[in-house]
Amino acid sequence: MKKIIKACIIILLLGGLCFLGYYKYQEYQYHQSPEYKLLQKGYTEKQVQIILDKGTEKQIETIIDQDYNSQIPQLMNHKDFKRNRFQRYLNYQGPKSIDDLILLVNQDIDQTSIPYSDDLLNFVKTPYFIKYNLSRYLDYKNKYTDLSYPEIIKRVNSGIDVDFYTNIKKTDTSKGNLVLINKYDQLDASYTPNDLQAIDDDNHYLSKEAALHFSQMIHEAYKAGYNYKVNSAYRSYQDQEEIYQEYKNNYGYTYAENYAARPGHSEHQSGLAVDIVAQDPMGRSFDQTEEYAWLQEHAHEYGFIMRYTKENEYITGYHYEPWHYRYVGVEATQKMKQEGLTFEEYYHYYIETGQ
């Protein structure tokens, strides 16, 4: 019996030692764990859980090797946090709020050579911001300090931070109905639409899709009691050259620049623009007629915009032309109308950058 009791005591002692050893081993393992090390750094249990859930193994090791940083859990818990940009969030200096920091890094502003400033942040937060225009926005802001951020973005996106007919580039005709032709974008002298169709009996032509929508629009206007006359539609490069020279010879250079496009810079050459007036027995200017009012209300339904408005003369570089309508398609027209954008703004933001 004594031997049995002795054996039991030995077993109990060995069991206790084993349990104690196991406990000490578990304690040692816990002390080596990221959770324990983060707690020792001063992070709360909630913050530790965020770090463990959102961080990679390497990122967690980096956090452990650094002093306590209250921003890290906030960064990782942000809805727009991107794991692969973690170190860039930590490295980028300037933004005071986590929201601003994540916004700028997620837009890769930290990868530019432009130093952080309040102006930079305000431009990034402004609708229709285009990243590759950032330095131009800032330069324009320095030049015109009283202008608002939205107005500067409108001007720079439209290209008017440089003089008209400078930095001219070839028009990207692959854009189809959304081709941009203005004082910065030029068609080749040889360009002619390959699908021109007559829109009346007076030898006026538009490209096929524009012609179809124009005919539908004029037909609906006629049913509503309104009559129009086409003054001009497709014009060749040579036609435009003659018109521009005629304006220049008769009225002078400045007048020609405001009222006529230089050859290659006219929308008429694209086969997408038409000049229309009312057959008005009272002899009123077109924008005083019911026909004009009908177009203002309905042209967008057929994919046409009044291209040269009075309020945007400084953007287009042309005097107000209430008769000049440009086909861009129904989807584009609806969006431009809804958001109050010029064609230049729409093209550079939605078409050129694909946003």
Side-chain angles (χ1 to χ4, degrees), residues 86-267:
F86 172 70
Q87 195 59 50
R88 287 168 54 187
Y89 296 134
L90 298 182
N91 292 342
Y92 192 49
Q93 301 298 313
K96 296 179 179 63
S97 76
I98 296 297
D99 287 340
D100 294 341
L101 174 60
I102 285 184
L103 170 68
L104 295 179
V105 172
N106 285 359
Q107 295 220 29
D108 296 324
I109 303 302
D110 62 313
Q111 301 295 289
T112 70
S113 59
I114 303 171
Y116 174 81
S117 67
D118 289 342
D119 282 336
L120 178 150
L121 176 62
N122 286 327
F123 279 124
V124 174
K125 287 177 150 183
T126 300
Y128 309 110
F129 166 78
I130 298 174
K131 187 177 69 175
Y132 61 69
N133 282 342
L134 179 55
S135 61
R136 291 167 59 190
Y137 300 143
L138 293 167
D139 289 344
Y140 207 80
K141 180 65 175 174
N142 288 334
K143 190 174 181 181
Y144 300 99
T145 56
D146 293 338
L147 289 177
S148 67
Y149 296 107
E151 179 61 23
I152 290 174
I153 281 183
K154 175 177 181 173
R155 294 186 182 200
V156 172
N157 285 2
S158 299
I160 66 167
D161 54 324
V162 298
D163 293 338
F164 291 127
Y165 295 120
T166 59
N167 294 351
I168 293 172
K169 61 182 183 294
K170 294 298 181 183
T171 293
D172 183 359
T173 55
S174 70
K175 301 304 183 186
N177 295 325
L178 292 170
V179 62
L180 178 65
I181 305 151
N182 57 21
K183 294 188 176 185
Y184 305 102
D185 297 83
Q186 181 183 38
L187 287 167
D188 290 330
S190 60
Y191 179 81
T192 303
N194 59 11
D195 60 349
L196 291 171
Q197 292 191 356
I199 56 173
D200 60 13
D201 296 328
D202 295 324
N203 295 320
H204 291 119
Y205 297 86
L206 289 175
S207 65
K208 183 178 180 180
E209 186 176 328
L212 174 63
H213 284 76
F214 178 78
S215 296
Q216 292 173 345
M217 180 172 71
I218 295 304
H219 178 69
E220 289 302 312
Y222 180 77
K223 285 167 57 178
Y226 305 112
N227 293 294
Y228 299 89
K229 181 180 186 307
V230 177
N231 273 354
S232 182
Y234 166 72
R235 295 200 293 256
S236 69
Y237 182 97
Q238 292 72 27
D239 291 337
Q240 190 63 34
E241 189 169 33
E242 291 177 8
I243 289 171
Y244 178 79
Q245 286 300 327
E246 182 180 350
Y247 272 62
K248 189 175 174 181
N249 294 337
N250 293 339
Y251 306 108
Y253 172 80
T254 300
Y255 186 93
E257 289 288 278
N258 290 326
Y259 285 86
R262 294 182 187 180
H265 294 273
S266 171
E267 290 191 322

